[in-house]
Amino acid sequence: MSTEERPLNFLEQIIKKDLESGATNKLVTRFPPEPNGFLHIGHAKAICLNFGLAETFDGACHLRFDDTNPEKEEAAYVEAIKKDLVWLGFKWEGDIRYASNYFDTFYQWAQHLINEGKAYVCDLSAEQAREYRGTLKEAGKHSPFRERSAEESTDLLERMKNGEFDEGSKVLRAKIDMSHGNINMRDPILYRIRKQNHHQTGDKWCIYPTYDFAHGQEDAIEGITHSICTLEFADHRPLYEWFIENLPVPSRPRQYEFGRLNLDYTVTSKRKLKQLVDEGVVDGWDDPRIPTIAGYRRRGYTPQSIRKFCEMIGVTKSDGVVEVSMLEHAIRDDLDKNSARAMCVLHPLKVVLTNYDSDKTELLSAAGHPNREDLPTRELPFGREVYIDQADFREEANKKYKRLVIGKRVRLRGAYVIEADSATKDEQGNIIEVQARVIPNTVGNNPEDGIKPKGVIHWVAAHQHCKFDVYLYDRLFTEAQPGSGDTDFMQQINPESLSIQKDCMGEPGLANAELGQSFQFEREGYFCRDTQQSDALIFNRTISLKDSWGKQAAPAAPKKT
Ligand code: ATP
Ligand code: MG
């Protein structure tokens, strides 16, 4: 949906006004991930928003890694995030930026604040600092180090930087207001000692700026005009503005907040996702059961479906939980239109066509897609023995069952109408083979005797098919809001979130499926060839044909929490 087809969201309204009034010359936004995990669907919302605004208003969007915390960050995450952005189809303006590129400037600005009497080195321990901070109802107390001279603080900061002091022994704090109603303004920390190697700056620094001291200044350095972040940063805005007021910054960005995306039946927090990965609950950051972009990609979601979903949920000033069925609607719709059709039998049952010559075979053909002529026609070998799904045969059934029943007819999709005569069982009474007859001249025609089949089922030829395993995914959590209240999300894992169906039988063409290629396995769902296990033929179920969880077919509006 372009902005011409729907009302402008609140950010679009603000930007439109700023551009019209001349307050903004050219819109510049940014997406600022911290490289401490893979991107998830919540990030996709922020990405579509920031890059989308730049597209809509002819502006630019930067990609900036907010790499101020070396402890949890890794170069591997940087690469993964770049890959996801490219896959989603967005282009950042200019080079990739890193907050760590600005460490020298931040350090000069810290010295500037010290010289202005607006920052000081404080030796309180973390615990003491907490006591001095006060509470929401009670003002804080001044640190005994607050009136330290600028010379002394400058010297100490330099020595902190050079590694002369232990971690936790000193911090640099802004001198603002210990009785401020907003606790973020009570002399917040600007720098802390961390004797850690950094993936961009190596061992150069023994101190690292806090998120608060870095974030707004990064935006100012880059000339970001509209600095868009999620609601939890609204309380930090006064501090963000204090820094902009009190530092010699080259531009004055303005911060706006929007509601985070939460999806039901999953977790959208890098910390929780990392726990699932680290504890081996899932098979890595690209496990198809977790809501990472990499997981969705491996599962067979398309960039278009994720972008469409982000359009559908819109942008508001409140947090909410969106039903995952909305995202599922977006991918189903996309795959219905674009994926090639194929037949695959998940639980094979042999059918012998007793009136069909044992040495005869035919090559039938079927459309690649019911209304996409650009998708190639498929070749379907046919012979005396075929496999159908166990669920598609019953010895007896009522009229509602429109599949194969003894004495009744069914059409094999793209092939003959057949009629079942008898079934063979093993010692436990399981049906192991069905004997049936082909009704002559029924490929593409109704039976000449006028007795039409009630239904159509899928099948593969016994003499020519390919075999593979199918991974069937279900929701990873049993609860709609895992971890809500006092519950532990790790105790709410759905034990049946993955089931592997071995030795499925597919039409021969599936042997040539490319890695990541999507298909609709007729009557079964949408599947894509797994990209990680490239020597084997394995298909992941992206999504079933119909929603078997929620009752509603159409997406519902996001629910407020
Ligand atoms: P997490 O809590 O999962 O670690 P984060 O906010 O710490 O997420 P960042 O890497 O700092 O992750 O986020 C980069 C950008 O993505 C930020 O602007 C952030 O506001 C946005 N973002 C992160 N999670 C969501 C979400 N669930 N919905 C919308 N935007 C999000
Ligand atoms: Mg963060």
Short mmCIF file of all heavy atoms in Angstrom, two decimals, residues 141-194:
data_model
loop_
_atom_site.label_atom_id
_atom_site.label_comp_id
_atom_site.label_asym_id
_atom_site.label_seq_id
_atom_site.Cartn_x
_atom_site.Cartn_y
_atom_site.Cartn_z
N LYS A 141 20.71 12.31 46.15
CA LYS A 141 21.69 13.12 46.89
C LYS A 141 22.90 13.35 45.98
O LYS A 141 23.21 12.53 45.12
CB LYS A 141 22.18 12.33 48.12
CG LYS A 141 21.20 12.29 49.25
CD LYS A 141 21.85 11.63 50.48
CE LYS A 141 22.24 10.18 50.18
NZ LYS A 141 22.71 9.39 51.30
N HIS A 142 23.59 14.45 46.25
CA HIS A 142 24.79 14.73 45.46
C HIS A 142 25.91 13.77 45.80
O HIS A 142 26.14 13.47 46.98
CB HIS A 142 25.27 16.16 45.73
CG HIS A 142 24.41 17.17 45.03
ND1 HIS A 142 24.67 18.51 45.06
CD2 HIS A 142 23.30 17.03 44.27
CE1 HIS A 142 23.75 19.16 44.34
NE2 HIS A 142 22.90 18.27 43.87
N SER A 143 26.60 13.31 44.81
CA SER A 143 27.77 12.48 45.02
C SER A 143 28.85 13.33 45.68
O SER A 143 29.01 14.51 45.34
CB SER A 143 28.28 11.96 43.68
OG SER A 143 29.64 11.62 43.76
N PRO A 144 29.63 12.75 46.60
CA PRO A 144 30.72 13.53 47.22
C PRO A 144 31.79 13.95 46.19
O PRO A 144 32.61 14.80 46.50
CB PRO A 144 31.31 12.57 48.27
CG PRO A 144 30.74 11.23 47.98
CD PRO A 144 29.50 11.40 47.18
N PHE A 145 31.73 13.36 45.01
CA PHE A 145 32.75 13.69 43.99
C PHE A 145 32.25 14.73 42.99
O PHE A 145 32.91 15.07 42.03
CB PHE A 145 33.18 12.42 43.26
CG PHE A 145 33.67 11.36 44.21
CD1 PHE A 145 32.81 10.33 44.63
CD2 PHE A 145 34.96 11.42 44.72
CE1 PHE A 145 33.25 9.37 45.53
CE2 PHE A 145 35.40 10.46 45.63
CZ PHE A 145 34.54 9.44 46.03
N ARG A 146 31.05 15.23 43.24
CA ARG A 146 30.38 16.08 42.26
C ARG A 146 31.12 17.41 42.03
O ARG A 146 31.09 17.96 40.95
CB ARG A 146 28.95 16.38 42.74
CG ARG A 146 27.99 16.79 41.61
CD ARG A 146 26.57 16.83 42.16
NE ARG A 146 25.58 16.86 41.07
CZ ARG A 146 24.92 17.94 40.69
NH1 ARG A 146 25.13 19.08 41.32
NH2 ARG A 146 24.05 17.88 39.71
N GLU A 147 31.79 17.88 43.07
CA GLU A 147 32.45 19.18 42.93
C GLU A 147 33.94 19.07 42.64
O GLU A 147 34.69 20.03 42.75
CB GLU A 147 32.20 20.04 44.19
CG GLU A 147 30.74 20.36 44.44
CD GLU A 147 29.99 20.90 43.21
OE1 GLU A 147 30.59 21.66 42.41
OE2 GLU A 147 28.80 20.53 43.02
N ARG A 148 34.34 17.88 42.25
CA ARG A 148 35.72 17.66 41.83
C ARG A 148 36.09 18.69 40.76
O ARG A 148 35.25 19.03 39.91
CB ARG A 148 35.74 16.28 41.21
CG ARG A 148 37.02 15.59 41.30
CD ARG A 148 36.80 14.12 40.94
NE ARG A 148 37.49 13.28 41.88
CZ ARG A 148 37.34 11.96 41.95
NH1 ARG A 148 36.48 11.35 41.15
NH2 ARG A 148 38.02 11.27 42.81
N SER A 149 37.33 19.15 40.75
CA SER A 149 37.70 20.19 39.78
C SER A 149 37.75 19.59 38.37
O SER A 149 37.93 18.38 38.19
CB SER A 149 39.08 20.76 40.12
OG SER A 149 40.07 19.78 39.83
N ALA A 150 37.61 20.47 37.39
CA ALA A 150 37.66 20.03 36.00
C ALA A 150 39.02 19.40 35.70
O ALA A 150 39.11 18.39 34.99
CB ALA A 150 37.40 21.21 35.07
N GLU A 151 40.07 19.96 36.28
CA GLU A 151 41.42 19.43 36.03
C GLU A 151 41.51 17.98 36.51
O GLU A 151 42.01 17.10 35.82
CB GLU A 151 42.49 20.25 36.78
CG GLU A 151 42.75 21.64 36.23
CD GLU A 151 41.58 22.61 36.50
OE1 GLU A 151 40.90 22.46 37.55
OE2 GLU A 151 41.33 23.48 35.65
N GLU A 152 41.00 17.79 37.75
CA GLU A 152 41.11 16.44 38.31
C GLU A 152 40.28 15.44 37.49
O GLU A 152 40.74 14.35 37.16
CB GLU A 152 40.63 16.46 39.77
CG GLU A 152 41.00 15.17 40.49
CD GLU A 152 40.48 15.08 41.92
OE1 GLU A 152 39.87 16.06 42.41
OE2 GLU A 152 40.67 14.01 42.54
N SER A 153 39.07 15.83 37.12
CA SER A 153 38.23 14.92 36.33
C SER A 153 38.85 14.64 34.96
O SER A 153 38.85 13.49 34.49
CB SER A 153 36.83 15.51 36.13
OG SER A 153 36.05 15.30 37.29
N THR A 154 39.44 15.66 34.36
CA THR A 154 40.08 15.46 33.05
C THR A 154 41.20 14.44 33.17
O THR A 154 41.32 13.52 32.36
CB THR A 154 40.66 16.80 32.53
OG1 THR A 154 39.60 17.74 32.48
CG2 THR A 154 41.28 16.64 31.15
N ASP A 155 42.01 14.62 34.21
CA ASP A 155 43.13 13.71 34.43
C ASP A 155 42.65 12.28 34.69
O ASP A 155 43.16 11.32 34.11
CB ASP A 155 43.96 14.24 35.61
CG ASP A 155 45.06 13.28 36.00
OD1 ASP A 155 45.92 13.01 35.13
OD2 ASP A 155 45.06 12.77 37.15
N LEU A 156 41.62 12.17 35.54
CA LEU A 156 41.12 10.82 35.87
C LEU A 156 40.51 10.15 34.64
O LEU A 156 40.70 8.95 34.42
CB LEU A 156 40.09 10.90 37.00
CG LEU A 156 40.65 11.25 38.39
CD1 LEU A 156 39.51 11.50 39.38
CD2 LEU A 156 41.56 10.11 38.89
N LEU A 157 39.78 10.92 33.85
CA LEU A 157 39.14 10.33 32.66
C LEU A 157 40.21 9.79 31.71
O LEU A 157 40.09 8.68 31.19
CB LEU A 157 38.26 11.37 31.95
CG LEU A 157 37.52 10.83 30.72
CD1 LEU A 157 36.51 9.75 31.11
CD2 LEU A 157 36.81 11.96 29.97
N GLU A 158 41.27 10.58 31.55
CA GLU A 158 42.39 10.16 30.70
C GLU A 158 42.98 8.84 31.20
O GLU A 158 43.23 7.91 30.44
CB GLU A 158 43.44 11.28 30.73
CG GLU A 158 44.75 10.98 30.02
CD GLU A 158 44.67 11.26 28.52
OE1 GLU A 158 43.84 12.10 28.13
OE2 GLU A 158 45.43 10.63 27.77
N ARG A 159 43.13 8.76 32.52
CA ARG A 159 43.73 7.54 33.09
C ARG A 159 42.75 6.37 33.05
O ARG A 159 43.16 5.21 32.91
CB ARG A 159 44.23 7.84 34.50
CG ARG A 159 45.45 8.78 34.44
CD ARG A 159 45.80 9.42 35.77
NE ARG A 159 46.05 8.44 36.82
CZ ARG A 159 46.05 8.73 38.12
NH1 ARG A 159 45.83 9.98 38.53
NH2 ARG A 159 46.28 7.80 39.00
N MET A 160 41.47 6.66 33.17
CA MET A 160 40.46 5.59 33.00
C MET A 160 40.58 5.02 31.59
O MET A 160 40.58 3.81 31.37
CB MET A 160 39.03 6.15 33.16
CG MET A 160 38.59 6.40 34.60
SD MET A 160 37.14 7.52 34.68
CE MET A 160 35.86 6.57 33.88
N LYS A 161 40.70 5.93 30.65
CA LYS A 161 40.80 5.54 29.23
C LYS A 161 42.04 4.66 29.00
O LYS A 161 41.99 3.70 28.23
CB LYS A 161 40.89 6.81 28.39
CG LYS A 161 41.32 6.59 26.97
CD LYS A 161 41.29 7.92 26.21
CE LYS A 161 42.02 7.84 24.90
NZ LYS A 161 43.41 8.19 24.97
N ASN A 162 43.13 5.01 29.71
CA ASN A 162 44.37 4.27 29.50
C ASN A 162 44.44 2.96 30.28
O ASN A 162 45.43 2.25 30.23
CB ASN A 162 45.57 5.15 29.86
CG ASN A 162 45.68 6.33 28.91
OD1 ASN A 162 45.16 6.29 27.79
ND2 ASN A 162 46.33 7.40 29.36
N GLY A 163 43.40 2.67 31.04
CA GLY A 163 43.36 1.38 31.72
C GLY A 163 44.01 1.37 33.10
O GLY A 163 44.33 0.30 33.61
N GLU A 164 44.17 2.55 33.73
CA GLU A 164 44.83 2.57 35.04
C GLU A 164 43.93 2.11 36.19
O GLU A 164 44.41 1.82 37.27
CB GLU A 164 45.34 3.98 35.35
CG GLU A 164 46.59 4.34 34.58
CD GLU A 164 47.15 5.69 35.02
OE1 GLU A 164 47.10 6.02 36.23
OE2 GLU A 164 47.61 6.42 34.13
N PHE A 165 42.62 2.11 35.96
CA PHE A 165 41.72 1.76 37.07
C PHE A 165 40.90 0.50 36.76
O PHE A 165 40.71 0.15 35.59
CB PHE A 165 40.75 2.93 37.35
CG PHE A 165 41.46 4.22 37.63
CD1 PHE A 165 41.40 5.27 36.72
CD2 PHE A 165 42.20 4.38 38.81
CE1 PHE A 165 42.06 6.46 36.98
CE2 PHE A 165 42.86 5.58 39.06
CZ PHE A 165 42.79 6.62 38.15
N ASP A 166 40.43 -0.11 37.83
CA ASP A 166 39.65 -1.34 37.66
C ASP A 166 38.24 -1.04 37.16
O ASP A 166 37.71 0.04 37.45
CB ASP A 166 39.51 -2.07 39.00
CG ASP A 166 40.84 -2.66 39.43
OD1 ASP A 166 41.71 -2.84 38.55
OD2 ASP A 166 40.99 -2.92 40.65
N GLU A 167 37.67 -2.02 36.50
CA GLU A 167 36.28 -1.89 36.07
C GLU A 167 35.42 -1.64 37.29
O GLU A 167 35.62 -2.24 38.35
CB GLU A 167 35.80 -3.17 35.38
CG GLU A 167 36.42 -3.37 34.02
CD GLU A 167 35.72 -4.45 33.20
OE1 GLU A 167 34.65 -4.93 33.62
OE2 GLU A 167 36.25 -4.79 32.13
N GLY A 168 34.46 -0.73 37.19
CA GLY A 168 33.52 -0.49 38.28
C GLY A 168 34.03 0.50 39.32
O GLY A 168 33.29 0.91 40.20
N SER A 169 35.30 0.88 39.22
CA SER A 169 35.85 1.75 40.28
C SER A 169 35.52 3.23 40.05
O SER A 169 35.50 4.01 41.00
CB SER A 169 37.36 1.55 40.43
OG SER A 169 38.02 1.94 39.24
N LYS A 170 35.31 3.62 38.80
CA LYS A 170 35.02 5.02 38.48
C LYS A 170 34.10 5.08 37.26
O LYS A 170 34.14 4.21 36.40
CB LYS A 170 36.32 5.76 38.12
CG LYS A 170 37.27 5.99 39.28
CD LYS A 170 38.45 6.80 38.81
CE LYS A 170 39.38 7.21 39.94
NZ LYS A 170 39.32 6.53 41.20
N VAL A 171 33.33 6.14 37.19
CA VAL A 171 32.54 6.43 35.98
C VAL A 171 32.60 7.93 35.73
O VAL A 171 32.92 8.70 36.64
CB VAL A 171 31.04 6.02 36.13
CG1 VAL A 171 30.88 4.52 36.23
CG2 VAL A 171 30.39 6.72 37.33
N LEU A 172 32.29 8.31 34.51
CA LEU A 172 32.10 9.74 34.24
C LEU A 172 30.60 10.00 34.23
O LEU A 172 29.84 9.27 33.58
CB LEU A 172 32.71 10.13 32.88
CG LEU A 172 32.56 11.64 32.56
CD1 LEU A 172 33.52 12.47 33.42
CD2 LEU A 172 32.81 11.91 31.07
N ARG A 173 30.18 11.03 34.96
CA ARG A 173 28.74 11.35 35.02
C ARG A 173 28.49 12.78 34.57
O ARG A 173 29.34 13.66 34.77
CB ARG A 173 28.22 11.20 36.45
CG ARG A 173 28.38 9.80 36.99
CD ARG A 173 28.01 9.74 38.46
NE ARG A 173 26.58 9.94 38.68
CZ ARG A 173 25.99 9.86 39.87
NH1 ARG A 173 26.72 9.62 40.95
NH2 ARG A 173 24.69 10.04 39.99
N ALA A 174 27.32 12.99 34.00
CA ALA A 174 26.90 14.36 33.69
C ALA A 174 26.44 15.00 34.99
O ALA A 174 25.96 14.32 35.89
CB ALA A 174 25.77 14.34 32.69
N LYS A 175 26.60 16.31 35.09
CA LYS A 175 26.13 17.03 36.28
C LYS A 175 24.85 17.76 35.87
O LYS A 175 24.89 18.80 35.21
CB LYS A 175 27.19 18.03 36.72
CG LYS A 175 26.96 18.60 38.11
CD LYS A 175 27.92 19.75 38.41
CE LYS A 175 29.34 19.27 38.74
NZ LYS A 175 30.20 20.45 39.13
N ILE A 176 23.70 17.15 36.20
CA ILE A 176 22.45 17.78 35.75
C ILE A 176 21.60 18.18 36.95
O ILE A 176 21.67 19.32 37.41
CB ILE A 176 21.67 16.88 34.76
CG1 ILE A 176 22.60 16.45 33.59
CG2 ILE A 176 20.45 17.63 34.19
CD1 ILE A 176 21.95 15.58 32.54
N ASP A 177 20.86 17.22 37.52
CA ASP A 177 19.93 17.62 38.59
C ASP A 177 19.53 16.38 39.37
O ASP A 177 18.74 15.57 38.88
CB ASP A 177 18.71 18.29 37.94
CG ASP A 177 17.70 18.75 38.99
OD1 ASP A 177 17.92 18.49 40.20
OD2 ASP A 177 16.68 19.34 38.58
N MET A 178 20.06 16.23 40.58
CA MET A 178 19.78 15.03 41.38
C MET A 178 18.37 15.01 41.95
O MET A 178 17.95 14.02 42.55
CB MET A 178 20.82 14.87 42.50
CG MET A 178 22.18 14.42 42.03
SD MET A 178 22.20 12.91 41.02
CE MET A 178 21.73 11.67 42.22
N SER A 179 17.62 16.09 41.76
CA SER A 179 16.23 16.04 42.26
C SER A 179 15.25 16.07 41.09
O SER A 179 14.05 16.27 41.27
CB SER A 179 15.98 17.18 43.24
OG SER A 179 16.30 18.40 42.61
N HIS A 180 15.73 15.85 39.89
CA HIS A 180 14.87 15.87 38.70
C HIS A 180 13.80 14.78 38.80
O HIS A 180 14.08 13.66 39.26
CB HIS A 180 15.73 15.66 37.45
CG HIS A 180 15.08 16.20 36.21
ND1 HIS A 180 13.99 15.60 35.63
CD2 HIS A 180 15.38 17.28 35.44
CE1 HIS A 180 13.64 16.29 34.56
NE2 HIS A 180 14.47 17.32 34.41
N GLY A 181 12.60 15.11 38.39
CA GLY A 181 11.50 14.14 38.41
C GLY A 181 11.78 12.95 37.50
O GLY A 181 11.29 11.84 37.73
N ASN A 182 12.58 13.14 36.49
CA ASN A 182 12.94 12.06 35.57
C ASN A 182 14.31 11.53 36.00
O ASN A 182 15.32 12.23 35.92
CB ASN A 182 12.99 12.64 34.15
CG ASN A 182 13.33 11.58 33.11
OD1 ASN A 182 13.94 10.56 33.41
ND2 ASN A 182 12.93 11.86 31.89
N ILE A 183 14.30 10.29 36.47
CA ILE A 183 15.53 9.73 37.06
C ILE A 183 16.68 9.70 36.05
O ILE A 183 17.86 9.76 36.41
CB ILE A 183 15.24 8.36 37.71
CG1 ILE A 183 14.35 8.61 38.93
CG2 ILE A 183 16.51 7.63 38.12
CD1 ILE A 183 14.00 7.40 39.76
N ASN A 184 16.34 9.61 34.76
CA ASN A 184 17.41 9.63 33.74
C ASN A 184 18.25 10.90 33.78
O ASN A 184 19.35 10.94 33.25
CB ASN A 184 16.80 9.52 32.34
CG ASN A 184 16.20 8.16 32.10
OD1 ASN A 184 16.83 7.15 32.35
ND2 ASN A 184 14.95 8.13 31.65
N MET A 185 17.69 11.96 34.40
CA MET A 185 18.39 13.25 34.45
C MET A 185 19.23 13.41 35.72
O MET A 185 19.86 14.42 35.93
CB MET A 185 17.37 14.41 34.37
CG MET A 185 16.53 14.40 33.10
SD MET A 185 17.54 14.63 31.62
CE MET A 185 17.61 16.42 31.58
N ARG A 186 19.18 12.40 36.61
CA ARG A 186 19.94 12.51 37.87
C ARG A 186 21.39 12.09 37.63
O ARG A 186 21.77 10.95 37.88
CB ARG A 186 19.28 11.68 38.96
CG ARG A 186 17.89 12.22 39.31
CD ARG A 186 17.28 11.52 40.49
NE ARG A 186 15.90 11.97 40.67
CZ ARG A 186 15.03 11.41 41.50
NH1 ARG A 186 15.41 10.37 42.25
NH2 ARG A 186 13.80 11.87 41.60
N ASP A 187 22.17 13.01 37.15
CA ASP A 187 23.60 12.79 36.89
C ASP A 187 23.89 11.43 36.23
O ASP A 187 24.59 10.58 36.82
CB ASP A 187 24.41 12.95 38.20
CG ASP A 187 24.41 14.38 38.70
OD1 ASP A 187 23.64 15.22 38.15
OD2 ASP A 187 25.19 14.69 39.62
N PRO A 188 23.36 11.21 35.03
CA PRO A 188 23.53 9.91 34.38
C PRO A 188 24.99 9.61 34.00
O PRO A 188 25.79 10.54 33.85
CB PRO A 188 22.70 10.06 33.10
CG PRO A 188 22.69 11.52 32.82
CD PRO A 188 22.65 12.18 34.17
N ILE A 189 25.27 8.34 33.88
CA ILE A 189 26.64 7.91 33.53
C ILE A 189 26.89 8.15 32.04
O ILE A 189 26.04 7.86 31.20
CB ILE A 189 26.81 6.41 33.85
CG1 ILE A 189 26.66 6.18 35.36
CG2 ILE A 189 28.17 5.89 33.36
CD1 ILE A 189 26.72 4.72 35.76
N LEU A 190 28.06 8.69 31.74
CA LEU A 190 28.46 8.91 30.34
C LEU A 190 29.47 7.86 29.87
O LEU A 190 29.45 7.44 28.73
CB LEU A 190 29.08 10.30 30.18
CG LEU A 190 28.29 11.49 30.74
CD1 LEU A 190 28.99 12.80 30.39
CD2 LEU A 190 26.87 11.51 30.20
N TYR A 191 30.38 7.51 30.77
CA TYR A 191 31.42 6.53 30.42
C TYR A 191 31.62 5.55 31.55
O TYR A 191 31.57 5.93 32.72
CB TYR A 191 32.77 7.23 30.22
CG TYR A 191 33.02 7.67 28.79
CD1 TYR A 191 32.83 8.99 28.41
CD2 TYR A 191 33.46 6.76 27.84
CE1 TYR A 191 33.07 9.40 27.11
CE2 TYR A 191 33.70 7.16 26.53
CZ TYR A 191 33.50 8.47 26.16
OH TYR A 191 33.73 8.85 24.89
N ARG A 192 31.85 4.29 31.21
CA ARG A 192 32.27 3.33 32.23
C ARG A 192 33.51 2.58 31.77
O ARG A 192 33.79 2.53 30.57
CB ARG A 192 31.15 2.37 32.60
CG ARG A 192 30.26 1.89 31.54
CD ARG A 192 29.34 0.83 32.12
NE ARG A 192 27.94 1.25 32.21
CZ ARG A 192 27.13 1.37 31.19
NH1 ARG A 192 27.57 1.14 29.99
NH2 ARG A 192 25.87 1.74 31.36
N ILE A 193 34.23 2.04 32.75
CA ILE A 193 35.46 1.31 32.43
C ILE A 193 35.08 -0.12 32.01
O ILE A 193 34.35 -0.80 32.72
CB ILE A 193 36.40 1.25 33.67
CG1 ILE A 193 36.76 2.67 34.12
CG2 ILE A 193 37.66 0.44 33.35
CD1 ILE A 193 37.50 2.72 35.47
N ARG A 194 35.57 -0.51 30.85
CA ARG A 194 35.37 -1.89 30.37
C ARG A 194 36.67 -2.30 29.68
O ARG A 194 36.98 -1.79 28.61
CB ARG A 194 34.26 -1.95 29.31
CG ARG A 194 32.86 -1.78 29.82
CD ARG A 194 32.28 -3.13 30.25
NE ARG A 194 30.89 -2.96 30.67
CZ ARG A 194 30.52 -2.45 31.85
NH1 ARG A 194 31.44 -2.03 32.71
NH2 ARG A 194 29.25 -2.33 32.16
#
